[in-house]
Amino acid sequence: TKLAADTITGSLRFANSGSEATQAAIYRQVVSPAVEAIRRTSPARIVIADGAGAGNLAVPELVPLGIEQSVHCYIPGSLSHYRVDWMRDREWPDPAWPAPADFDGYPWDRERLELFYSPWKTLIEQGVGVHLGETGGSNHVPHPVFLAWLRDVLELFKGMGVGWALWDFIGESRFGILDTQRADVKYEDWHGHR
């Protein structure tokens, strides 16, 4: 389990991007003792657990712990991670939104996103605070395609009352809004960044 503390807000985050193999019962068993220890020393501290399955899957088994949850949205990965340098061994479908097919041949559109992320709405209805802790896309995705997908993602989570954060990554493959080195965008200087 990874821990990251935010000393300004006093929040504590567990398990950045729980793996695909994270089983809810095991996840709860691992997190429970830590939550109990935190509550003994800092009862008002905000505790956030990332969803399972790389942050995509809500974990209702954690609701009794009284902690918040963070969702990640990189679905479909064939679009958000298009031609990233750490996934070079893949055959990439041409990025489009709506996406005619992901790596497994399934089509994606806003309706499918809404269905896929609907368990997070259920958590919210149960009083769990949810934050879209990561989203974004590769600078290799054509900008109009990226913007259409991101608009649907942000509107979907805004409709659930969920705040969000873009994931910035600077490397050979860049995510985010600053210094992306996209060839299909007109940049403006902003405090030394583009």
Side-chain angles (χ1 to χ4, degrees):
T1 301
K2 297 178 187 175
L3 299 176
D6 178 347
T7 57
I8 296 171
T9 62
S11 67
L12 189 63
R13 179 176 166 189
F14 287 102
N16 181 26
S17 299
S19 74
E20 297 293 335
T22 302
Q23 295 178 4
I26 294 170
Y27 198 2
R28 181 177 173 173
Q29 186 177 17
V30 169
V31 170
S32 291
V35 171
E36 291 170 13
I38 292 165
R39 296 290 185 235
R40 280 193 304 273
T41 60
S42 185
R45 183 177 294 266
I46 296 169
V47 180
I48 303 171
D50 278 3
N56 289 295
L57 307 175
V59 188
E61 290 79 359
L62 299 181
V63 172
L65 300 180
I67 63 176
E68 317 309 335
Q69 293 192 37
S70 181
V71 58
H72 298 179
C73 182
Y74 296 112
I75 300 291
S78 58
L79 188 147
S80 67
H81 284 64
Y82 180 66
R83 292 181 33 210
V84 294
D85 58 292
W86 62 89
M87 296 172 71
R88 289 197 169 139
D89 60 338
R90 297 212 181 228
E91 292 291 323
W92 294 94
D94 289 334
W97 189 253
D102 63 9
F103 293 126
D104 298 318
Y106 296 109
W108 281 92
D109 57 16
R110 180 171 176 152
E111 186 175 311
R112 185 152 183 232
L113 278 177
E114 289 174 357
L115 180 63
F116 184 84
Y117 287 104
S118 63
W120 291 95
K121 186 174 183 179
T122 302
L123 283 184
I124 293 165
E125 291 167 351
Q126 294 174 9
V128 175
V130 173
H131 175 252
L132 175 56
E134 289 187 21
T135 193
S138 163
N139 65 339
H140 301 294
V141 177
H143 199 238
V145 172
F146 172 73
L147 290 178
W149 169 79
L150 186 61
R151 183 179 306 111
D152 280 352
V153 167
L154 297 181
E155 286 177 358
L156 165 66
F157 285 100
K158 181 179 180 181
M160 287 192 263
V162 173
W164 52 271
L166 287 177
W167 186 53
D168 278 308
F169 177 79
I170 295 178
E172 186 177 329
S173 298
R174 294 169 178 257
F175 278 63
I177 58 174
L178 289 177
D179 302 325
T180 61
Q181 300 178 347
R182 288 179 167 275
D184 57 353
V185 172
K186 181 182 175 189
Y187 286 96
E188 296 178 13
D189 184 69
W190 186 78
H191 302 281
H193 296 279
R194 298 178 59 89

mmCIF file with all atom_site columns, all heavy atoms in Angstrom, residues 13 17 34 38 45-46 54 73 77 83 87 110 123 133 140 145 155 175 185:
data_model
loop_
_atom_site.group_PDB
_atom_site.id
_atom_site.type_symbol
_atom_site.label_atom_id
_atom_site.label_alt_id
_atom_site.label_comp_id
_atom_site.label_asym_id
_atom_site.label_entity_id
_atom_site.label_seq_id
_atom_site.pdbx_PDB_ins_code
_atom_site.Cartn_x
_atom_site.Cartn_y
_atom_site.Cartn_z
_atom_site.occupancy
_atom_site.B_iso_or_equiv
_atom_site.pdbx_formal_charge
_atom_site.auth_seq_id
_atom_site.auth_comp_id
_atom_site.auth_asym_id
_atom_site.auth_atom_id
_atom_site.pdbx_PDB_model_num
ATOM 1   N N   . ARG A 1 13  ? -4.136  9.627  1.577   1.00 0.00 ? 13  ARG A N   1
ATOM 2   C CA  . ARG A 1 13  ? -4.617  8.817  0.452   1.00 0.00 ? 13  ARG A CA  1
ATOM 3   C C   . ARG A 1 13  ? -3.950  7.453  0.481   1.00 0.00 ? 13  ARG A C   1
ATOM 4   O O   . ARG A 1 13  ? -2.742  7.351  0.573   1.00 0.00 ? 13  ARG A O   1
ATOM 5   C CB  . ARG A 1 13  ? -4.272  9.553  -0.840  1.00 0.00 ? 13  ARG A CB  1
ATOM 6   C CG  . ARG A 1 13  ? -4.672  8.838  -2.080  1.00 0.00 ? 13  ARG A CG  1
ATOM 7   C CD  . ARG A 1 13  ? -4.351  9.731  -3.261  1.00 0.00 ? 13  ARG A CD  1
ATOM 8   N NE  . ARG A 1 13  ? -4.409  8.990  -4.477  1.00 0.00 ? 13  ARG A NE  1
ATOM 9   C CZ  . ARG A 1 13  ? -4.012  9.478  -5.626  1.00 0.00 ? 13  ARG A CZ  1
ATOM 10  N NH1 . ARG A 1 13  ? -3.517  10.681 -5.699  1.00 0.00 ? 13  ARG A NH1 1
ATOM 11  N NH2 . ARG A 1 13  ? -4.102  8.751  -6.703  1.00 0.00 ? 13  ARG A NH2 1
ATOM 12  N N   . SER A 1 17  ? -3.967  3.894  -7.287  1.00 0.00 ? 17  SER A N   1
ATOM 13  C CA  . SER A 1 17  ? -4.282  2.976  -8.388  1.00 0.00 ? 17  SER A CA  1
ATOM 14  C C   . SER A 1 17  ? -4.224  1.526  -7.967  1.00 0.00 ? 17  SER A C   1
ATOM 15  O O   . SER A 1 17  ? -3.326  0.790  -8.364  1.00 0.00 ? 17  SER A O   1
ATOM 16  C CB  . SER A 1 17  ? -3.332  3.191  -9.567  1.00 0.00 ? 17  SER A CB  1
ATOM 17  O OG  . SER A 1 17  ? -3.451  4.477  -10.067 1.00 0.00 ? 17  SER A OG  1
ATOM 18  N N   . ALA A 1 34  ? -5.280  0.573  9.183   1.00 0.00 ? 34  ALA A N   1
ATOM 19  C CA  . ALA A 1 34  ? -4.700  1.908  9.004   1.00 0.00 ? 34  ALA A CA  1
ATOM 20  C C   . ALA A 1 34  ? -5.732  2.985  9.280   1.00 0.00 ? 34  ALA A C   1
ATOM 21  O O   . ALA A 1 34  ? -5.440  3.993  9.943   1.00 0.00 ? 34  ALA A O   1
ATOM 22  C CB  . ALA A 1 34  ? -4.138  2.058  7.599   1.00 0.00 ? 34  ALA A CB  1
ATOM 23  N N   . ILE A 1 38  ? -5.525  5.855  12.163  1.00 0.00 ? 38  ILE A N   1
ATOM 24  C CA  . ILE A 1 38  ? -5.657  7.276  11.825  1.00 0.00 ? 38  ILE A CA  1
ATOM 25  C C   . ILE A 1 38  ? -6.766  7.913  12.655  1.00 0.00 ? 38  ILE A C   1
ATOM 26  O O   . ILE A 1 38  ? -6.598  9.009  13.207  1.00 0.00 ? 38  ILE A O   1
ATOM 27  C CB  . ILE A 1 38  ? -5.932  7.452  10.322  1.00 0.00 ? 38  ILE A CB  1
ATOM 28  C CG1 . ILE A 1 38  ? -4.698  7.051  9.512   1.00 0.00 ? 38  ILE A CG1 1
ATOM 29  C CG2 . ILE A 1 38  ? -6.351  8.883  10.001  1.00 0.00 ? 38  ILE A CG2 1
ATOM 30  C CD1 . ILE A 1 38  ? -4.971  6.843  8.034   1.00 0.00 ? 38  ILE A CD1 1
ATOM 31  N N   . ARG A 1 45  ? -9.420  13.677 10.147  1.00 0.00 ? 45  ARG A N   1
ATOM 32  C CA  . ARG A 1 45  ? -8.603  13.602 8.926   1.00 0.00 ? 45  ARG A CA  1
ATOM 33  C C   . ARG A 1 45  ? -9.406  12.989 7.786   1.00 0.00 ? 45  ARG A C   1
ATOM 34  O O   . ARG A 1 45  ? -10.111 12.005 7.956   1.00 0.00 ? 45  ARG A O   1
ATOM 35  C CB  . ARG A 1 45  ? -7.356  12.768 9.180   1.00 0.00 ? 45  ARG A CB  1
ATOM 36  C CG  . ARG A 1 45  ? -6.415  12.709 7.972   1.00 0.00 ? 45  ARG A CG  1
ATOM 37  C CD  . ARG A 1 45  ? -5.155  11.944 8.281   1.00 0.00 ? 45  ARG A CD  1
ATOM 38  N NE  . ARG A 1 45  ? -4.354  12.632 9.266   1.00 0.00 ? 45  ARG A NE  1
ATOM 39  C CZ  . ARG A 1 45  ? -3.363  13.468 8.990   1.00 0.00 ? 45  ARG A CZ  1
ATOM 40  N NH1 . ARG A 1 45  ? -3.066  13.726 7.730   1.00 0.00 ? 45  ARG A NH1 1
ATOM 41  N NH2 . ARG A 1 45  ? -2.669  14.033 9.948   1.00 0.00 ? 45  ARG A NH2 1
ATOM 42  N N   . ILE A 1 46  ? -9.258  13.577 6.604   1.00 0.00 ? 46  ILE A N   1
ATOM 43  C CA  . ILE A 1 46  ? -9.871  13.022 5.398   1.00 0.00 ? 46  ILE A CA  1
ATOM 44  C C   . ILE A 1 46  ? -9.005  11.864 4.928   1.00 0.00 ? 46  ILE A C   1
ATOM 45  O O   . ILE A 1 46  ? -7.801  12.013 4.768   1.00 0.00 ? 46  ILE A O   1
ATOM 46  C CB  . ILE A 1 46  ? -9.982  14.086 4.298   1.00 0.00 ? 46  ILE A CB  1
ATOM 47  C CG1 . ILE A 1 46  ? -10.908 15.218 4.734   1.00 0.00 ? 46  ILE A CG1 1
ATOM 48  C CG2 . ILE A 1 46  ? -10.470 13.457 2.987   1.00 0.00 ? 46  ILE A CG2 1
ATOM 49  C CD1 . ILE A 1 46  ? -10.854 16.426 3.816   1.00 0.00 ? 46  ILE A CD1 1
ATOM 50  N N   . ALA A 1 54  ? -6.943  -0.182 -11.269 1.00 0.00 ? 54  ALA A N   1
ATOM 51  C CA  . ALA A 1 54  ? -6.265  1.036  -11.745 1.00 0.00 ? 54  ALA A CA  1
ATOM 52  C C   . ALA A 1 54  ? -7.080  2.293  -11.441 1.00 0.00 ? 54  ALA A C   1
ATOM 53  O O   . ALA A 1 54  ? -6.987  3.288  -12.128 1.00 0.00 ? 54  ALA A O   1
ATOM 54  C CB  . ALA A 1 54  ? -5.934  0.938  -13.227 1.00 0.00 ? 54  ALA A CB  1
ATOM 55  N N   . CYS A 1 73  ? -10.033 8.085  -14.516 1.00 0.00 ? 73  CYS A N   1
ATOM 56  C CA  . CYS A 1 73  ? -10.720 7.847  -15.791 1.00 0.00 ? 73  CYS A CA  1
ATOM 57  C C   . CYS A 1 73  ? -9.732  7.953  -16.937 1.00 0.00 ? 73  CYS A C   1
ATOM 58  O O   . CYS A 1 73  ? -9.343  9.048  -17.346 1.00 0.00 ? 73  CYS A O   1
ATOM 59  C CB  . CYS A 1 73  ? -11.865 8.826  -15.993 1.00 0.00 ? 73  CYS A CB  1
ATOM 60  S SG  . CYS A 1 73  ? -12.752 8.514  -17.544 1.00 0.00 ? 73  CYS A SG  1
ATOM 61  N N   . GLY A 1 77  ? -8.558  3.029  -22.607 1.00 0.00 ? 77  GLY A N   1
ATOM 62  C CA  . GLY A 1 77  ? -7.116  3.183  -22.591 1.00 0.00 ? 77  GLY A CA  1
ATOM 63  C C   . GLY A 1 77  ? -6.511  3.273  -23.980 1.00 0.00 ? 77  GLY A C   1
ATOM 64  O O   . GLY A 1 77  ? -5.454  3.876  -24.167 1.00 0.00 ? 77  GLY A O   1
ATOM 65  N N   . ARG A 1 83  ? -0.326  5.394  -28.017 1.00 0.00 ? 83  ARG A N   1
ATOM 66  C CA  . ARG A 1 83  ? 1.089   5.434  -28.382 1.00 0.00 ? 83  ARG A CA  1
ATOM 67  C C   . ARG A 1 83  ? 2.009   5.983  -27.285 1.00 0.00 ? 83  ARG A C   1
ATOM 68  O O   . ARG A 1 83  ? 3.030   6.600  -27.568 1.00 0.00 ? 83  ARG A O   1
ATOM 69  C CB  . ARG A 1 83  ? 1.286   6.227  -29.677 1.00 0.00 ? 83  ARG A CB  1
ATOM 70  C CG  . ARG A 1 83  ? 0.705   5.524  -30.881 1.00 0.00 ? 83  ARG A CG  1
ATOM 71  C CD  . ARG A 1 83  ? 0.898   6.258  -32.183 1.00 0.00 ? 83  ARG A CD  1
ATOM 72  N NE  . ARG A 1 83  ? 2.139   7.019  -32.237 1.00 0.00 ? 83  ARG A NE  1
ATOM 73  C CZ  . ARG A 1 83  ? 2.292   8.141  -32.938 1.00 0.00 ? 83  ARG A CZ  1
ATOM 74  N NH1 . ARG A 1 83  ? 1.307   8.615  -33.643 1.00 0.00 ? 83  ARG A NH1 1
ATOM 75  N NH2 . ARG A 1 83  ? 3.454   8.767  -32.946 1.00 0.00 ? 83  ARG A NH2 1
ATOM 76  N N   . MET A 1 87  ? 4.045   1.726  -23.468 1.00 0.00 ? 87  MET A N   1
ATOM 77  C CA  . MET A 1 87  ? 3.190   0.671  -24.019 1.00 0.00 ? 87  MET A CA  1
ATOM 78  C C   . MET A 1 87  ? 3.482   0.497  -25.511 1.00 0.00 ? 87  MET A C   1
ATOM 79  O O   . MET A 1 87  ? 2.576   0.381  -26.318 1.00 0.00 ? 87  MET A O   1
ATOM 80  C CB  . MET A 1 87  ? 1.718   1.027  -23.781 1.00 0.00 ? 87  MET A CB  1
ATOM 81  C CG  . MET A 1 87  ? 1.340   1.084  -22.311 1.00 0.00 ? 87  MET A CG  1
ATOM 82  S SD  . MET A 1 87  ? -0.330  1.729  -22.025 1.00 0.00 ? 87  MET A SD  1
ATOM 83  C CE  . MET A 1 87  ? -1.335  0.395  -22.629 1.00 0.00 ? 87  MET A CE  1
ATOM 84  N N   . ARG A 1 110 ? -20.128 8.133  -24.849 1.00 0.00 ? 110 ARG A N   1
ATOM 85  C CA  . ARG A 1 110 ? -20.501 8.724  -23.568 1.00 0.00 ? 110 ARG A CA  1
ATOM 86  C C   . ARG A 1 110 ? -21.477 7.830  -22.791 1.00 0.00 ? 110 ARG A C   1
ATOM 87  O O   . ARG A 1 110 ? -21.354 7.674  -21.578 1.00 0.00 ? 110 ARG A O   1
ATOM 88  C CB  . ARG A 1 110 ? -21.115 10.111 -23.766 1.00 0.00 ? 110 ARG A CB  1
ATOM 89  C CG  . ARG A 1 110 ? -21.495 10.722 -22.443 1.00 0.00 ? 110 ARG A CG  1
ATOM 90  C CD  . ARG A 1 110 ? -21.891 12.136 -22.565 1.00 0.00 ? 110 ARG A CD  1
ATOM 91  N NE  . ARG A 1 110 ? -22.340 12.621 -21.273 1.00 0.00 ? 110 ARG A NE  1
ATOM 92  C CZ  . ARG A 1 110 ? -22.246 13.864 -20.915 1.00 0.00 ? 110 ARG A CZ  1
ATOM 93  N NH1 . ARG A 1 110 ? -21.714 14.746 -21.728 1.00 0.00 ? 110 ARG A NH1 1
ATOM 94  N NH2 . ARG A 1 110 ? -22.691 14.234 -19.750 1.00 0.00 ? 110 ARG A NH2 1
ATOM 95  N N   . LEU A 1 123 ? -22.069 5.151  -4.920  1.00 0.00 ? 123 LEU A N   1
ATOM 96  C CA  . LEU A 1 123 ? -21.303 5.509  -3.710  1.00 0.00 ? 123 LEU A CA  1
ATOM 97  C C   . LEU A 1 123 ? -21.672 6.905  -3.225  1.00 0.00 ? 123 LEU A C   1
ATOM 98  O O   . LEU A 1 123 ? -21.850 7.130  -2.022  1.00 0.00 ? 123 LEU A O   1
ATOM 99  C CB  . LEU A 1 123 ? -19.798 5.459  -3.978  1.00 0.00 ? 123 LEU A CB  1
ATOM 100 C CG  . LEU A 1 123 ? -19.108 4.116  -4.038  1.00 0.00 ? 123 LEU A CG  1
ATOM 101 C CD1 . LEU A 1 123 ? -17.602 4.314  -4.210  1.00 0.00 ? 123 LEU A CD1 1
ATOM 102 C CD2 . LEU A 1 123 ? -19.382 3.287  -2.805  1.00 0.00 ? 123 LEU A CD2 1
ATOM 103 N N   . GLY A 1 133 ? -9.590  11.708 -9.227  1.00 0.00 ? 133 GLY A N   1
ATOM 104 C CA  . GLY A 1 133 ? -8.221  12.028 -8.876  1.00 0.00 ? 133 GLY A CA  1
ATOM 105 C C   . GLY A 1 133 ? -7.259  12.040 -10.042 1.00 0.00 ? 133 GLY A C   1
ATOM 106 O O   . GLY A 1 133 ? -6.197  12.648 -9.956  1.00 0.00 ? 133 GLY A O   1
ATOM 107 N N   . HIS A 1 140 ? -0.244  12.254 -28.077 1.00 0.00 ? 140 HIS A N   1
ATOM 108 C CA  . HIS A 1 140 ? -0.296  11.659 -29.409 1.00 0.00 ? 140 HIS A CA  1
ATOM 109 C C   . HIS A 1 140 ? -1.731  11.554 -29.939 1.00 0.00 ? 140 HIS A C   1
ATOM 110 O O   . HIS A 1 140 ? -1.925  11.305 -31.124 1.00 0.00 ? 140 HIS A O   1
ATOM 111 C CB  . HIS A 1 140 ? 0.347   10.268 -29.411 1.00 0.00 ? 140 HIS A CB  1
ATOM 112 C CG  . HIS A 1 140 ? 1.775   10.275 -28.987 1.00 0.00 ? 140 HIS A CG  1
ATOM 113 N ND1 . HIS A 1 140 ? 2.784   10.884 -29.711 1.00 0.00 ? 140 HIS A ND1 1
ATOM 114 C CD2 . HIS A 1 140 ? 2.372   9.768  -27.890 1.00 0.00 ? 140 HIS A CD2 1
ATOM 115 C CE1 . HIS A 1 140 ? 3.927   10.740 -29.089 1.00 0.00 ? 140 HIS A CE1 1
ATOM 116 N NE2 . HIS A 1 140 ? 3.710   10.064 -27.977 1.00 0.00 ? 140 HIS A NE2 1
ATOM 117 N N   . VAL A 1 145 ? -9.965  15.077 -31.028 1.00 0.00 ? 145 VAL A N   1
ATOM 118 C CA  . VAL A 1 145 ? -10.457 13.806 -30.464 1.00 0.00 ? 145 VAL A CA  1
ATOM 119 C C   . VAL A 1 145 ? -10.311 13.840 -28.948 1.00 0.00 ? 145 VAL A C   1
ATOM 120 O O   . VAL A 1 145 ? -11.240 13.490 -28.210 1.00 0.00 ? 145 VAL A O   1
ATOM 121 C CB  . VAL A 1 145 ? -9.687  12.600 -31.061 1.00 0.00 ? 145 VAL A CB  1
ATOM 122 C CG1 . VAL A 1 145 ? -10.061 11.307 -30.345 1.00 0.00 ? 145 VAL A CG1 1
ATOM 123 C CG2 . VAL A 1 145 ? -9.940  12.492 -32.551 1.00 0.00 ? 145 VAL A CG2 1
ATOM 124 N N   . GLU A 1 155 ? -17.953 16.356 -18.171 1.00 0.00 ? 155 GLU A N   1
ATOM 125 C CA  . GLU A 1 155 ? -19.397 16.572 -18.023 1.00 0.00 ? 155 GLU A CA  1
ATOM 126 C C   . GLU A 1 155 ? -20.049 15.431 -17.253 1.00 0.00 ? 155 GLU A C   1
ATOM 127 O O   . GLU A 1 155 ? -20.940 15.652 -16.429 1.00 0.00 ? 155 GLU A O   1
ATOM 128 C CB  . GLU A 1 155 ? -20.056 16.750 -19.384 1.00 0.00 ? 155 GLU A CB  1
ATOM 129 C CG  . GLU A 1 155 ? -19.763 18.094 -20.021 1.00 0.00 ? 155 GLU A CG  1
ATOM 130 C CD  . GLU A 1 155 ? -20.359 18.244 -21.416 1.00 0.00 ? 155 GLU A CD  1
ATOM 131 O OE1 . GLU A 1 155 ? -20.990 17.276 -21.930 1.00 0.00 ? 155 GLU A OE1 1
ATOM 132 O OE2 . GLU A 1 155 ? -20.191 19.330 -22.006 1.00 0.00 ? 155 GLU A OE2 1
ATOM 133 N N   . PHE A 1 175 ? 1.180   13.920 -20.822 1.00 0.00 ? 175 PHE A N   1
ATOM 134 C CA  . PHE A 1 175 ? -0.228  14.083 -20.491 1.00 0.00 ? 175 PHE A CA  1
ATOM 135 C C   . PHE A 1 175 ? -0.380  15.488 -19.924 1.00 0.00 ? 175 PHE A C   1
ATOM 136 O O   . PHE A 1 175 ? 0.580   16.062 -19.437 1.00 0.00 ? 175 PHE A O   1
ATOM 137 C CB  . PHE A 1 175 ? -0.635  13.097 -19.392 1.00 0.00 ? 175 PHE A CB  1
ATOM 138 C CG  . PHE A 1 175 ? -0.959  11.710 -19.875 1.00 0.00 ? 175 PHE A CG  1
ATOM 139 C CD1 . PHE A 1 175 ? 0.000   10.918 -20.490 1.00 0.00 ? 175 PHE A CD1 1
ATOM 140 C CD2 . PHE A 1 175 ? -2.223  11.194 -19.696 1.00 0.00 ? 175 PHE A CD2 1
ATOM 141 C CE1 . PHE A 1 175 ? -0.280  9.645  -20.905 1.00 0.00 ? 175 PHE A CE1 1
ATOM 142 C CE2 . PHE A 1 175 ? -2.523  9.910  -20.105 1.00 0.00 ? 175 PHE A CE2 1
ATOM 143 C CZ  . PHE A 1 175 ? -1.550  9.128  -20.711 1.00 0.00 ? 175 PHE A CZ  1
ATOM 144 N N   . VAL A 1 185 ? -1.657  22.040 -31.886 1.00 0.00 ? 185 VAL A N   1
ATOM 145 C CA  . VAL A 1 185 ? -2.216  23.063 -30.998 1.00 0.00 ? 185 VAL A CA  1
ATOM 146 C C   . VAL A 1 185 ? -1.391  24.340 -31.139 1.00 0.00 ? 185 VAL A C   1
ATOM 147 O O   . VAL A 1 185 ? -0.168  24.292 -31.208 1.00 0.00 ? 185 VAL A O   1
ATOM 148 C CB  . VAL A 1 185 ? -2.173  22.589 -29.520 1.00 0.00 ? 185 VAL A CB  1
ATOM 149 C CG1 . VAL A 1 185 ? -2.562  23.702 -28.572 1.00 0.00 ? 185 VAL A CG1 1
ATOM 150 C CG2 . VAL A 1 185 ? -3.071  21.388 -29.325 1.00 0.00 ? 185 VAL A CG2 1
#
